């Protein structure tokens, strides 16, 4: 396939994730509602919300600086680039080598850095509370994520996500280390996406809130960009878990015909739906933790990640 | 070489000139302008000297029969660039900042000496010149630390600095003594040829760690650093943090990689563990502080830890004959040295502008400065992102290389190291995440939100020289982050000289990516990622502005419907780090809070007291102080003996020394 085709595929990947992301949020909400015997909003409701938000005027707080206005676009762009590097339906996309898993983690870190900063920009106490808790949770979740990266990268001999996915699809196999890494990655995903048990994405104005507290002063198109970025981040973690631990259906290097692409995208959609269902049932089944219990949870993720890495050496045959 | 030495002499002449001129109003621009020119020339020399064959010169100074040896090889040239590029940036900044100095006569004479001494340390090629320059560097910086001796606590900072610096120099002195052997030829060439008995290498390594580590700020020898760096004027703080700690790292690399001969694998354990502890503890200390310069000083300690982790990895790889991996780790260390010089200078410059424009270093009293100091806040924001190791800035590129060298560690044959390295990796990842938290806090509380005091509300942007230095270095942070391959390739001669291996030549890789080992293992392309981000943000912004409502209304902030309660309701630096203090600080520092809440109708104000104990002071230095006190008390008796007893003591000491010599020789 020529360069044009590769560029087109990369573009498809970027378009696919950005279009799909709000649907995932809608899907999780719908399933949660059904599990709680409510009807719930339609799956496509997040798109309507976004459209509504885009149509509204922006209410800027008086002392907001330029950073407050620039940050939503930057956060959106950082998250979008990060998710564009994750293989969804095919590994080895044109630009997949320009950042490995560590770079993806760092891109998300940069988005969070900006988010936590602009929460302080308005000079309100709620922004501060969100920012403060966000950095506390991230300070353990991010190292845990790095340890998961170590585990899979050491096994696959590369931190490049495409190579890792290729390795898992062809060589892989069952290992205790991978199981530990998977559990750690799920905990990290819950913490990073502000899901139950760490944070509740459905509430405002509770003293327990983290992520939503940082957005309180945002409105209109700025809020829409951040909401969209949040949805992208959720899709990113689902895609990462999918391509590392459940790489079936992925087109690996070499490519295939049009039918293969249809099947691969179908497999990807299937994975996303299953992940949403699992997330919805998890969020329905368990309660939110107290804020200062969260470090225990993320600490467990960190330890699991480290144990996974160390077990690789002990179990031999690296 | 002659040009190099005359530049250094020029610095020394400038300092004499500064003594003569002090009091004249043009003294400040002359001295800083002069050092700026000299440092710029020296950076130019260093830039080209890396790839060339070593040059050396011997001057008839110093010890008889030894002379003063100077040599400019790849390693020296790399650090010569760090010293002088940092020096040039600081001089440029000081052209503006120096005007606010209340007593320039206390700063100007020592500043060029400090620069000259650091240059001499880097190019010295015998132990005598090295230690002489090292002491000169310590003394000049000590004089600068106590330049403002009337400010509370600065004299104590200077005292502790002097103590630690002397102890460190002693350690280095003994280390060189061991390395030179009983015959005692102190030229580096002779030391290199002399092979140390294997039983003594551990001792030499420990002495090098104490000597160089105490100057670099390695935990637990770091206690002077957070006192001394903030006490100095801000441009000197930048020099001490960004450059002098790097000279100490130079000393460690020089001794361990160059002078000590082929390494053993267990040498790497101490740098790895101490580096990991330093990285994590340094940033935790920083999160407990509210004085901006102390935050920055502790963050320097963190970065020194990261560099030592990379150096430890390089040692381990070199000992196991993995030349390529060793080159990767050493390049990562040197690259981080360069990057830290760039962004830490900007951050200290930013602290200086805060002091000039608001008169305080306490970030709890600031806020909202992004609207009042637009240019310096932009530079500090860029440097904060860079130091938090976030793409696309330079800090991420070098930390990424450190992570990649951890990922090749399974090739090491020693099981012990294989298990230690991932543990150190956890500490490194923890440090990186906490550094981001630390700079969210430092930048957010200082520059964002609403001004907490009238001084912060009245702040004005600073002069053009300072801004030029800050914005220039911040732009370089971005440039190096986008083209890290240039820096890596530039550092290759150093890696080949020290570990006789090299990374793949980065300039030959398509699309200006960097690859640590081979393209299939991993690669990173800062430029392309940045292009992606800009494109994505532009597309998003363009689409939004094309199709979405463009109406903007400025209104009071909402804050959940509460009326304006004044800027004191904002989160403060202390409250922002409260969760982290609770999670990490309670274990590490024994941090706890006591709340004194008066009963209803009691008009007493409520009080929240937090206490933090420094374990290093409590468990290491306090016992040493007690021991020295007791020993001094016991030795006091010696003062009142008869002359016969004194003569007997001299005799016994002589016999003991001769016995040692006979056994050792």
């Amino acid at each position: 396939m020529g360069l044009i085709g590769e560029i087109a595929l990369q573009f498809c990947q970027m378009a696919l994730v950005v279009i799909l992301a709000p649907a995932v949020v809608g899907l999780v909400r719908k399933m949660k509602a059904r599990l709680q015997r409510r009807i719930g909003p339609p799956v496509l409701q997040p798109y309507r919300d976004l459209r509504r938000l885009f149509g509204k005027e922006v209410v800027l707080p008086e002392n907001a600086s330029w950073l407050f206005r620039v940050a939503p676009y930057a956060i959106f762009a950082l998250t979008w680039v990060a998710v564009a590097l994750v293989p969804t339906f095919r590994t080895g996309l044109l630009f997949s080598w320009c950042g490995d898993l560590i770079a993806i983690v760092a891109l998300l870190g940069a988005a969070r850095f900006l988010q936590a900063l602009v929460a302080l920009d308005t000079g309100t106490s709620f922004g501060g509370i969100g920012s403060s808790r966000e950095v506390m949770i991230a300070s353990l979740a991010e190292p845990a994520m790095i340890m998961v990266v170590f585990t899979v990268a050491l096994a696959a001999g590369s931190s490049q996500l495409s190579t890792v996915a290729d390795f898992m699809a062809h060589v892989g196999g069952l290992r205790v280390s991978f199981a530990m890494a998977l559990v750690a990655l799920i905990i990290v995903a819950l913490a990073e996406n502000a899901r139950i048990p760490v944070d509740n994405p459905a509430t405002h104005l509770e003293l327990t809130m983290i992520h939503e507290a940082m957005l309180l002063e945002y409105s209109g198109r700025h809020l829409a960009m951040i909401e969209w970025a949040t949805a992208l981040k959720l899709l990113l973690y689902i895609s990462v878990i999918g391509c590392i631990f459940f790489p079936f259906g992925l087109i690996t290097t070499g490519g295939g015909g049009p039918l293969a692409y249809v099947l691969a995208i179908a497999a990807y959609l299937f994975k996303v739906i299953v992940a949403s269902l699992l997330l919805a049932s998890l969020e329905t089944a368990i309660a939110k933790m107290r804020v200062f219990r969260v470090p225990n949870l993320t600490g467990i993720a960190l330890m699991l990640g480290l144990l996974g890495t160390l077990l690789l050496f002990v179990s031999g045959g690296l | 070489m002659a040009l190099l030495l005359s530049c250094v002499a020029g610095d020394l002449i400038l300092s004499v000139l500064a003594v003569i001129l002090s009091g004249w109003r043009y003294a400040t621009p002359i001295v800083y302008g002069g050092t700026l020119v000299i440092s710029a020339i020296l950076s130019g020399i260093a830039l080209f000297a890396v790839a060339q064959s070593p040059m050396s010169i011997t001057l008839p100074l110093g010890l008889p029969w030894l002379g003063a040896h100077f040599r400019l090889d790849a390693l020296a040239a790399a650090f010569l660039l760090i010293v002088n590029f940092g020096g040039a940036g600081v001089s440029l900044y000081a052209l503006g900042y120096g005007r606010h100095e209340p007593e320039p006569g206390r700063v100007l004479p020592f500043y060029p000496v400090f620069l000259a001494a650091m240059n001499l340390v880097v190019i010295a090629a015998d132990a005598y010149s090295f230690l002489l320059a090292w002491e000169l560097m310590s003394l000049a910086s000590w004089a600068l630390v106590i330049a403002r001796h009337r400010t509370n606590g600065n004299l104590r900072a200077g005292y502790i600095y002097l103590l630690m610096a002397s102890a460190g120099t002693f350690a280095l002195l003994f280390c060189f003594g061991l390395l030179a052997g009983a015959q005692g030829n102190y030229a580096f060439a002779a030391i290199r040829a002399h092979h140390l008995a294997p039983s003594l290498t551990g001792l030499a390594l420990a002495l090098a760690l104490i000597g160089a580590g105490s100057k670099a700020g390695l935990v637990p020898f770091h206690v002077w650093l957070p006192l001394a760096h903030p006490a100095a004027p801000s441009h000197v703080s930048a020099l001490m943090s960004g450059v002098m700690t790097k000279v100490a790292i130079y000393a460690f690399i020089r001794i361990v990689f160059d002078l000590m001969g082929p390494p053993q694998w267990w040498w790497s354990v101490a740098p790895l563990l101490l580096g990991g502890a330093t990285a994590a503890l340094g940033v935790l200390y920083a999160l407990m502080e509210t004085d901006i310069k102390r935050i920055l000083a502790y963050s320097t300690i963190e970065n020194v830890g990261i560099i030592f982790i990379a150096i430890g990895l390089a040692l381990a790889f070199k000992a196991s004959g993995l030349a390529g991996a060793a080159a990767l780790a050493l390049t990562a260390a040197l690259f981080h040295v360069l990057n830290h010089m760039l962004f830490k200078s900007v951050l200290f410059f930013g602290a200086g502008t805060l002091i000039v424009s608001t008169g305080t270093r306490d970030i709890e009293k600031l806020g909202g400065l992004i609207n009042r100091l637009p240019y310096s806040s932009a530079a500090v924001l860029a440097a904060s992102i860079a130091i938090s190791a976030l793409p696309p800035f330079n800090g991420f590129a070098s930390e990424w290389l450190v992570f990649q060298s951890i990922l090749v560690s399974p090739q090491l044959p020693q099981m012990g190291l294989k298990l230690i390295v991932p543990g150190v990796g956890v500490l490194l990842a923890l440090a990186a995440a906490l550094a981001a938290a630390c700079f969210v806090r430092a930048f957010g509380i200082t520059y964002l939100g609403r001004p907490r005091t009238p001084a912060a509300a009245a702040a004005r942007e600073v002069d053009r020289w300072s801004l030029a230095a800050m914005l220039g270095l911040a732009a370089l942070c971005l440039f190096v982050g986008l083209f890290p391959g240039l820096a890596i390739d530039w550092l290759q001669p150093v890696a080949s000289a020290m570990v006789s291996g090299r990374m793949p030549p980065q300039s030959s890789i398509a699309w200006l990516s960097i690859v640590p080992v081979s393209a299939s293992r991993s690669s990173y392309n800062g430029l392309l990622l940045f292009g992606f981000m800009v494109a994505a943000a532009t597309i998003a912004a363009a689409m939004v502005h094309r199709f979405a409502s463009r109406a903007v209304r400025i209104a009071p902030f909402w804050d959940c419907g509460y009326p304006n309660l004044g800027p004191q309701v904002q989160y403060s630096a202390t409250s922002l780090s409260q969760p982290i203090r609770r999670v990490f600080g309670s274990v590490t520092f024994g941090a706890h809070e006591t709340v004194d809440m008066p009963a209803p109708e009691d008009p007493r104000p409520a009080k929240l007291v937090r206490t933090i104990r420094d374990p290093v002071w409590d468990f290491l230095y306090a016992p040493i102080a007690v021991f020295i006190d007791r020993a001094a008390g016991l030795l006091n008796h010696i003062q009142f003996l008869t002359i016969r007893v004194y003569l007997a003591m001299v005799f016994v000491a002589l016999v003991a020394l001769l016995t040692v010599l006979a056994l050792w020789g």
Side-chain angles (χ1 to χ4, degrees):
Chain A
M1 196 175 300
L3 189 63
I4 303 289
E6 291 286 337
I7 290 177
L9 274 179
Q10 180 71 48
F11 184 76
C12 281
Q13 151 86 345
M14 291 188 80
L16 173 73
V17 288
V18 87
I19 292 169
L20 188 62
V24 178
V25 174
L27 194 62
V28 175
R29 279 191 201 152
K30 182 78 178 174
M31 288 173 178
K32 262 173 90 172
R34 295 303 300 157
L35 285 168
Q36 293 162 354
R37 310 202 68 174
R38 289 186 285 121
I39 294 178
V43 174
L44 297 185
Q45 185 64 36
Y47 295 97
R48 294 183 198 164
D49 292 347
L50 286 177
R51 200 185 66 199
R52 171 67 62 86
L53 282 174
F54 277 123
K56 291 212 172 214
E57 72 171 351
V58 170
V59 183
L60 274 183
E62 281 157 345
N63 62 322
S65 63
W66 59 269
L67 200 61
F68 190 79
R69 305 180 66 162
V70 172
Y73 302 104
I75 291 168
F76 179 77
L78 284 164
T79 319
W80 194 10
V81 171
V83 68
L85 298 176
V86 181
T88 51
F89 56 92
R90 178 176 184 270
T91 62
L93 283 170
L94 184 57
F95 291 123
S96 60
W97 44 265
C98 73
D100 61 350
L101 251 176
I102 298 174
I104 292 173
V105 175
L107 284 169
L108 292 178
R112 175 176 43 240
F113 185 87
L114 284 176
Q115 178 87 75
L117 268 189
V118 291
L120 293 170
D121 191 29
T122 50
T124 61
S125 38
F126 279 103
I129 209 170
S131 176
S132 163
R133 289 173 175 179
E134 174 86 2
V135 295
M136 183 235 337
I137 289 170
S139 65
L140 273 169
E142 209 177 278
M145 181 72 186
I146 293 281
M147 289 327 287
V148 174
V149 174
F150 276 11
T151 309
V152 296
L154 288 179
S158 165
S159 56
Q160 211 76 302
L161 200 42
S162 280
T163 321
V164 171
D166 278 351
F167 171 84
M168 290 293 195
H170 296 303
V171 194
L174 289 172
R175 290 193 193 201
V176 183
S177 297
F178 293 160
M180 287 181 166
L182 177 61
V183 175
L185 187 53
I186 289 173
I187 295 176
V188 171
L190 291 175
E192 292 272 349
N193 285 299
R195 311 302 299 195
I196 289 176
V198 174
D199 190 3
N200 191 347
T203 62
H204 267 292
L205 293 190
E206 269 187 54
L207 274 176
T208 54
M209 65 190 176
I210 302 165
H211 179 75
E212 295 292 329
M214 295 193 288
L215 316 180
L216 274 180
E217 299 294 330
Y218 271 112
S219 54
R221 55 175 191 264
H222 294 155
L223 182 60
M225 293 313 283
I226 293 184
E227 292 286 357
W228 208 335
T230 312
L232 271 172
K233 195 169 167 185
L234 178 62
L235 184 63
L236 181 142
Y237 274 96
I238 291 176
S239 308
V240 168
I241 293 174
C243 85
I244 295 180
F245 295 103
F246 308 100
F248 60 86
L250 269 179
I251 300 177
T252 48
T253 35
L259 184 66
Y261 279 96
V262 173
L263 282 177
I265 291 179
Y268 174 62
L269 291 179
F270 174 71
K271 280 187 251 181
V272 170
I273 291 170
V274 171
S276 312
L277 181 62
L278 290 176
L279 178 62
S281 15
L282 183 77
E283 288 201 300
T284 318
I286 54 177
K288 206 189 101 44
M289 282 180 163
R290 285 174 52 209
V291 169
F292 281 106
R293 288 286 171 81
V294 174
N296 298 346
L297 185 72
T298 41
I300 289 172
L302 182 62
M303 280 305 118
L304 281 176
L306 179 62
L307 280 179
T309 311
L310 295 182
L311 270 184
L312 276 180
F313 299 114
V314 180
S315 65
L318 178 76
Chain B
M1 206 62 205
L3 179 63
L4 207 173
L5 283 175
S6 37
C7 281
V8 175
D11 269 339
L12 294 174
I13 292 169
L14 265 179
S15 86
V16 178
L17 209 61
V19 177
I20 300 167
L21 294 180
S22 74
W24 192 37
R25 51 192 283 254
Y26 289 112
T28 303
I30 286 177
V31 170
Y32 290 127
T35 53
L36 174 60
V37 172
I38 291 173
S39 296
I41 296 173
L42 284 173
S43 328
I45 295 177
L47 200 58
F48 293 105
V50 162
Q52 278 158 11
S53 52
M55 294 177 281
S56 52
I57 196 170
T58 311
L59 297 183
L61 303 165
L63 285 185
W65 304 292
L66 178 62
H69 295 253
F70 295 106
R71 185 161 182 268
L72 185 64
D73 57 4
L75 180 66
F79 279 89
L80 197 67
L81 182 86
I82 306 283
V83 169
N84 288 293
F85 198 80
V90 169
S91 299
L92 181 64
Y93 176 77
L95 276 173
Y97 181 76
R99 279 187 239 153
H100 305 284
E101 188 62 47
E103 288 176 274
R106 290 182 155 272
V107 175
L108 289 182
F110 303 110
Y111 177 77
V113 180
F114 187 30
L115 277 178
M118 288 196 289
N119 277 314
L120 286 177
V121 171
V122 170
I123 57 173
D126 65 81
Y128 181 76
S129 326
F130 183 94
L131 286 173
L132 200 68
W134 184 271
E135 271 302 88
L136 192 61
M137 173 177 89
S138 299
L139 284 177
S141 52
W142 170 75
L144 291 165
V145 165
I146 58 161
R148 291 177 186 165
H149 61 290
R150 289 193 189 86
T151 312
N152 217 356
N154 280 7
L155 277 180
R156 178 168 173 264
Y159 174 65
I160 292 177
Y161 178 36
L162 207 57
L163 271 183
M164 292 297 291
S166 330
T169 312
F170 262 121
L172 278 184
L173 185 72
F174 287 129
C175 179
F176 281 123
L178 274 181
L179 290 174
Q183 272 65 42
N185 189 338
Y186 287 97
F188 280 177
I191 294 180
R192 218 169 273 139
H194 171 254
H195 285 289
L196 198 57
S199 52
L200 288 176
T201 50
L203 187 58
L205 182 79
L207 287 171
L209 263 179
I210 295 173
S214 70
K215 185 61 85 182
L218 204 62
V219 169
F221 317 114
H222 67 284
V223 286
W224 62 275
L225 196 150
L227 300 172
H229 287 203
S234 295
H235 62 296
V236 178
S237 313
L239 212 53
M240 289 177 76
S241 252
V243 178
M244 190 176 76
T245 55
K246 307 305 147 43
V247 173
I249 285 164
Y250 161 80
F252 188 73
I253 296 181
R254 173 66 78 193
I255 292 173
V256 175
F257 282 85
D258 193 15
L259 302 181
M260 269 175 65
Q264 307 291 315
W265 71 266
W266 51 267
W267 292 9
S268 62
V269 175
L272 275 174
L273 293 181
L274 285 182
T278 305
L281 273 179
V283 68
L284 274 180
Y285 278 116
L287 273 161
M288 306 296 134
E289 288 292 335
T290 59
D291 175 336
I292 182 73
K293 287 177 82 173
R294 283 176 69 99
I295 294 177
L296 295 177
Y298 276 124
S299 132
T300 296
I301 294 177
E302 178 223 338
N303 281 282
V304 164
I306 296 173
I307 294 164
F308 265 94
I309 290 175
I311 290 176
L313 285 168
L315 262 180
F317 290 132
K318 187 186 180 191
S320 302
L322 302 164
L328 166 63
L330 191 64
T331 310
L334 295 172
F335 193 20
H336 200 73
V337 164
L338 174 75
N339 291 338
H340 184 248
M341 182 269 287
L342 290 173
F343 47 64
K344 189 47 69 66
S345 300
V346 178
L347 290 169
F348 265 114
F349 295 168
T353 61
L354 290 181
I355 295 170
V356 167
S357 54
T358 66
T360 181
R361 293 190 334 211
D362 186 355
I363 59 174
E364 304 278 38
K365 298 195 175 110
L366 301 172
L369 293 178
I370 192 171
N371 297 320
R372 290 162 185 84
L373 311 171
Y375 297 106
S376 55
S377 63
V380 172
L381 176 63
S384 302
I385 299 177
I387 200 171
S388 308
L390 298 173
F393 284 88
N394 57 353
F396 175 69
S398 49
E399 277 205 35
W400 184 78
L401 286 180
V402 181
F403 276 124
Q404 293 299 334
S405 26
I406 289 180
L407 284 178
V408 287
S409 68
Q411 294 179 14
L412 289 169
Q414 296 83 12
M415 197 59 185
L417 276 183
K418 274 188 192 176
L419 296 183
I420 288 175
V421 172
V424 173
V426 171
L427 291 176
L428 181 64
L430 201 60
L434 287 172
C438 174
F439 282 91
V440 163
R441 176 175 179 263
F443 186 85
I445 298 296
T446 315
Y447 290 95
L448 302 177
R450 290 177 281 161
R452 293 178 176 81
T453 53
R460 298 271 299 278
E461 188 64 286
V462 289
D463 59 281
R464 288 189 186 161
W465 294 108
S466 309
L467 286 181
M470 293 173 74
L471 291 171
L473 287 183
L476 262 179
C477 286
L478 181 62
F479 178 80
V480 176
L482 297 187
F483 302 97
L486 295 179
I488 295 173
D489 275 350
W490 185 77
L491 288 169
Q492 274 322 298
V494 188
S496 343
M498 290 297 120
V499 297
S500 49
R502 65 166 300 150
M503 286 171 66
Q506 310 290 321
S507 53
S508 64
I509 293 158
W511 296 84
L512 297 168
S513 291
I514 54 172
V515 300
V517 183
S518 68
S520 67
R521 284 189 62 99
S522 49
S523 54
Y524 167 70
N525 189 318
L527 182 64
L528 209 58
L529 272 191
F530 183 63
F532 254 2
M533 280 174 224
V534 172
T538 320
I539 291 172
M543 296 292 271
V544 165
H545 282 84
R546 173 82 182 73
F547 294 110
S549 157
R550 260 178 285 180
V552 172
R553 182 156 53 92
I554 308 239
F557 48 80
W558 177 51
D559 203 12
C560 304
Y562 281 95
N564 187 349
L565 293 171
Q568 296 306 326
V569 301
Q570 294 177 92
Y571 251 52
S572 67
T574 314
S575 51
L576 192 71
S577 57
Q578 186 249 2
I580 289 183
R581 195 165 60 236
R582 241 175 108 165
V583 175
F584 296 100
S586 53
V587 183
T588 327
F589 304 120
H592 73 210
E593 288 161 359
T594 37
V595 183
D596 172 28
M597 183 64 78
E601 300 187 6
D602 186 350
R604 258 184 328 126
K607 222 185 239 171
L608 190 147
V609 183
R610 78 195 157 98
T611 47
I612 290 174
R613 300 170 62 86
D614 185 343
V616 176
W617 270 114
D618 288 358
F619 295 114
L620 187 64
Y621 290 95
I624 290 180
V626 169
F627 170 76
I628 288 178
D629 206 40
R630 287 216 187 120
L634 288 176
L635 289 176
N636 207 12
H637 298 296
I638 297 179
Q639 267 192 325
F640 309 103
L641 302 178
T642 59
I643 193 135
R644 273 169 300 143
V645 183
Y646 282 128
L647 283 175
M649 280 166 74
V650 170
F651 180 71
V652 169
L654 200 65
V655 169
L657 276 177
L658 287 173
T659 318
V660 168
L661 257 189
L663 289 177
W664 189 23

